[in-house]
Amino acid sequence: QLQLVESGGGLVQPGRSLRLSCAASGFNLEHYAIAWFRQAPGKEREEVSCISVSGGSTDYGESVKGRFTISRDNANNAVYLQMNSLKPADTAVYHCAAQGSCPGLRLSHWGQGTQVTVSS
């Protein structure tokens, strides 16, 4: 059973930064592509970014290109999402998911997620 744990969210002002972390519970992340998703109230879940198994390929949604950076640290069994120049529109619950590829089938269960609120 693949379970991921997200952390790093919080309340920030527009223009500031946050780094989200995605950690694996009981398995090794290095064998999976990892995607970040977000869901704002009343909206459908959308994919934000994805990083390949090797880390050599990354994808970003149009709304976050140039502001967000996904990276992986296999030594620490974690994937990160650096979010810069945050906007109120980035407010959402952020989840990470293990996949076979980018794009790909989600292989892990949804976790609790981490809330990101961007507001002045």
Side-chain angles (χ1 to χ4, degrees), residues 16-98:
R16 303 299 292 267
S17 299
L18 278 176
R19 189 178 81 155
L20 304 184
S21 297
C22 173
S25 177
F27 70 99
N28 199 326
L29 274 181
E30 70 177 352
H31 302 301
Y32 299 91
I34 302 296
W36 281 97
F37 295 81
R38 68 186 182 186
Q39 187 165 22
K43 295 188 177 181
E44 293 188 358
R45 183 179 286 121
E46 67 168 326
E47 182 171 324
V48 173
S49 183
C50 190
I51 187 165
S52 63
V53 173
S54 69
S57 176
T58 56
D59 297 324
Y60 297 94
E62 286 297 324
S63 62
V64 306
K65 275 183 182 178
R67 300 187 298 122
F68 290 11
T69 303
I70 191 170
S71 61
R72 64 190 310 151
D73 181 353
N74 289 338
N76 287 307
N77 207 26
V79 170
Y80 306 104
L81 185 68
Q82 178 68 40
M83 306 187 298
N84 298 330
S85 302
L86 283 163
K87 305 175 181 181
D90 296 316
T91 296
V93 177
Y94 285 71
H95 297 267
C96 57

